[in-house]
Amino acid sequence: MTPPETARADTAAATAATASTRDAILDAAERTFASRGFTATTIKHLAAEAGVNTALLYYYFADKETLYREMLRRLVTRFAAQLSQQMQGAASPEEALRRFSAMQAEVLIDVPHLPTLLVRELVDFHAEHAEEQIAHIAATAFKTLCGVIERGQREGRFRTDLDARFAAISVVSQVAYMGIARPAVGILLGGGLGSVTPEMMRDFARHAADFTLAALAAPKPAPRKASRKGRK
Amino acid sequence: MTPPETARADTAAATAATASTRDAILDAAERTFASRGFTATTIKHLAAEAGVNTALLYYYFADKETLYREMLRRLVTRFAAQLSQQMQGAASPEEALRRFSAMQAEVLIDVPHLPTLLVRELVDFHAEHAEEQIAHIAATAFKTLCGVIERGQREGRFRTDLDARFAAISVVSQVAYMGIARPAVGILLGGGLGSVTPEMMRDFARHAADFTLAALAAPKPAPRKASRKGRK
DNA sequence: GTCTATAGGTGGATAGAC
DNA sequence: GTCTATCCACCTATAGAC
């Protein structure tokens, strides 16, 4: 018999005052759905991880899927907020892009289950549960990112023969891919499954920024010799 | 008891016509595991999709996980073979990289469940079931890709201040991310969940090649004094 | 090789005591 | 608000007929 041990709520991240049972359940759900996936996660797993009784989950949430949705909604909302703010204070488009990649890496390190949950939502539900929040991100952070690139293009610092929105996806993709395919990348780099350290994530994020800025940099005026590739 | 176990009979002949029952089951497993995931896929789903009886699966495979592993093994082996060959005939490093991105897109279009299965393996099993095959890809296709970049660097066509292996990951990541995050990218680009068409995938792959080549291109010699552009 | 039937186990969800 | 006890559907895997 397991003794009461009321809501010990030793949530790993104990963000703030996650005193409430409801939050403890959502925190547990984040970790458990991330590591096991929606179907493989049972109500009993969630209850055990949250330190509460299984029946209690049904007091706070209608059913398993509702609980999942609320967890995801909370997560993506938090993420979107964090994304938007960081690019603001940058002096130049270059600086803004560097900040963006660096921040991507920090988020991946701080909330390692974030990419897992988002990827699971993509494959399990085709992002249907997150459509609204992704649309919000598109309207804020992604739009800002595109704006940064377009500004660089208008100011003559970035080349104009790349589509700004596709370029923005190229920017996002690099560190995001590293976060998703981390075990595979570890093998590709010769270190094995678990070899990608946080420090390596940061290194790669710096590389990604270098790569991006090299790609976007306006070609030197070039001494009129003309380039064979059609420009402009 | 363990049946025949003629595991290698399908290497070359798995093209189209599902000759044997065993192959039909593996084909069904590819589709079903991709769309539902490992846990949510039941033996009955697999049997129904393959058009056979549930008990028959246990005649050909020891259990559900063995079936899954064999399906994944077959898939990744096929994929690795396809990857390796395509870069060979390229005249220049630039051409090789263009071919690589284009081929990534074609694979994603031809085998749409491939990224899904690989991503599921990543999140569900941390790529443990695919370690061997990924190591093989690392030793062949990825090594070739790195070699192409290094060759361009040695020949003075590519800049040398980018790490070749990180650059190779930047190359891979762009189209791969598009394949994984397809619904989300659709939303980001303003079209909605299902808006990314095969044609758009090809467009993006061309963009990714442009982006990559712009990033890698050696900066113009520049009148020696050069601007030591401010890098923190 | 392929099927029917079923054993044995687990999961989501509810009723109701406290 | 939190727990005990439980129902029923469904799932994996096996036994054994044909």
Side-chain angles (χ1 to χ4, degrees):
Chain A
M1 289 304 180
T2 34
E5 195 68 26
T6 43
R8 261 267 296 170
D10 44 357
T11 66
T15 326
T18 32
S20 93
T21 302
R22 190 190 153 89
D23 283 332
I25 294 171
L26 286 173
D27 289 343
E30 246 176 57
R31 296 189 295 275
T32 312
F33 280 128
S35 65
R36 294 178 183 268
F38 180 79
T39 313
T41 294
T42 71
I43 297 294
K44 286 171 191 175
H45 287 143
L46 293 171
E49 178 74 17
V52 299
N53 190 277
T54 57
L56 198 55
L57 301 200
Y58 291 93
Y59 175 77
Y60 288 103
F61 304 94
D63 56 18
K64 188 181 164 186
E65 187 168 343
T66 303
L67 166 51
Y68 170 80
R69 283 183 192 247
E70 297 227 19
M71 175 279 295
L72 191 70
R73 181 183 153 75
R74 198 184 62 152
L75 180 82
V76 180
T77 304
R78 251 182 349 217
F79 174 56
Q82 200 168 348
L83 267 180
S84 304
Q85 65 186 45
Q86 209 75 16
M87 268 181 300
Q88 308 299 15
S92 64
E94 288 86 350
E95 177 62 16
L97 292 176
R98 282 194 186 285
R99 282 198 195 185
F100 184 83
S101 290
M103 187 198 42
Q104 273 187 298
E106 291 312 315
V107 170
L108 293 186
I109 292 165
D110 283 358
V111 195
H113 54 247
L114 178 80
T116 311
L117 281 166
L118 294 181
V119 157
R120 284 194 189 281
E121 170 62 20
L122 277 167
V123 293
D124 286 343
F125 306 106
H126 305 300
E128 278 171 16
H129 297 353
E131 183 169 8
E132 192 189 331
Q133 287 99 322
I134 293 175
H136 179 248
I137 290 175
T140 56
F142 188 73
K143 191 178 161 204
T144 303
L145 183 58
C146 291
V148 160
I149 293 172
E150 283 159 2
R151 181 182 141 205
Q153 290 178 325
R154 276 199 311 276
E155 291 177 356
R157 310 163 77 110
F158 291 165
R159 63 194 314 149
T160 54
D161 59 345
L162 289 172
D163 178 78
R165 300 205 299 181
F166 273 5
I169 292 175
S170 289
V171 172
V172 172
S173 69
Q174 296 175 71
V175 177
Y177 177 81
M178 178 60 120
I180 295 167
R182 199 165 159 170
V185 169
I187 297 174
L188 290 182
L189 293 181
L193 277 174
S195 64
V196 176
T197 62
E199 206 37 64
M200 205 181 301
M201 299 279 297
R202 291 197 183 91
D203 283 345
F204 182 78
R206 276 187 289 270
H207 154 83
D210 290 341
F211 191 89
T212 293
L213 292 182
L216 289 174
K220 291 285 185 338
R224 67 159 47 169
K225 196 50 180 294
S227 48
R228 45 198 180 90
K229 291 191 169 145
R231 279 284 121 72
K232 293 180 177 175
Chain B
M1 289 312 174
T2 30
E5 286 292 344
T6 51
R8 58 211 318 238
D10 49 67
T11 321
T15 323
T18 50
S20 74
T21 302
R22 188 190 155 89
D23 282 331
I25 293 171
L26 286 174
D27 289 343
E30 249 176 56
R31 296 188 295 272
T32 312
F33 280 127
S35 64
R36 293 178 182 268
F38 180 79
T39 314
T41 295
T42 72
I43 298 295
K44 286 174 189 175
H45 288 143
L46 293 171
E49 178 74 19
V52 299
N53 190 277
T54 57
L56 199 55
L57 302 200
Y58 291 94
Y59 175 78
Y60 286 103
F61 304 94
D63 56 19
K64 187 181 164 186
E65 186 168 343
T66 303
L67 166 51
Y68 170 81
R69 282 184 191 248
E70 297 228 20
M71 174 279 294
L72 191 70
R73 180 183 154 76
R74 196 184 65 152
L75 180 81
V76 180
T77 303
R78 249 179 354 215
F79 175 55
Q82 201 168 348
L83 267 180
S84 304
Q85 64 186 46
Q86 210 74 16
M87 269 180 299
Q88 307 300 12
S92 64
E94 287 85 349
E95 176 62 17
L97 292 176
R98 283 195 185 284
R99 282 198 194 184
F100 184 83
S101 291
M103 187 199 41
Q104 274 187 298
E106 292 312 315
V107 170
L108 293 187
I109 293 165
D110 283 358
V111 195
H113 54 248
L114 178 81
T116 311
L117 281 166
L118 294 182
V119 158
R120 284 193 189 281
E121 170 64 19
L122 276 167
V123 294
D124 285 345
F125 305 105
H126 305 300
E128 278 171 15
H129 297 352
E131 183 169 8
E132 192 190 332
Q133 288 99 321
I134 294 175
H136 179 249
I137 290 175
T140 56
F142 188 73
K143 192 178 159 201
T144 303
L145 183 57
C146 291
V148 160
I149 294 172
E150 283 160 2
R151 180 181 141 205
Q153 290 178 323
R154 276 200 312 276
E155 292 177 355
R157 311 163 77 109
F158 291 166
R159 63 194 312 148
T160 55
D161 59 346
L162 289 172
D163 179 78
R165 299 206 300 181
F166 273 5
I169 292 175
S170 289
V171 172
V172 172
S173 68
Q174 297 175 70
V175 178
Y177 177 81
M178 178 60 120
I180 296 167
R182 199 164 160 169
V185 169
I187 297 174
L188 289 182
L189 294 180
L193 278 174
S195 64
V196 176
T197 62
E199 207 37 63
M200 205 181 301
M201 298 280 296
R202 291 196 183 91
D203 283 346
F204 182 78
R206 277 188 287 270
H207 153 85
D210 291 341
F211 192 88
T212 292
L213 292 181
L216 289 174
K220 292 292 191 322
R224 56 169 32 196
K225 203 50 184 249
S227 56
R228 178 99 174 77
K229 52 179 183 174
R231 290 268 310 278
K232 315 250 155 169

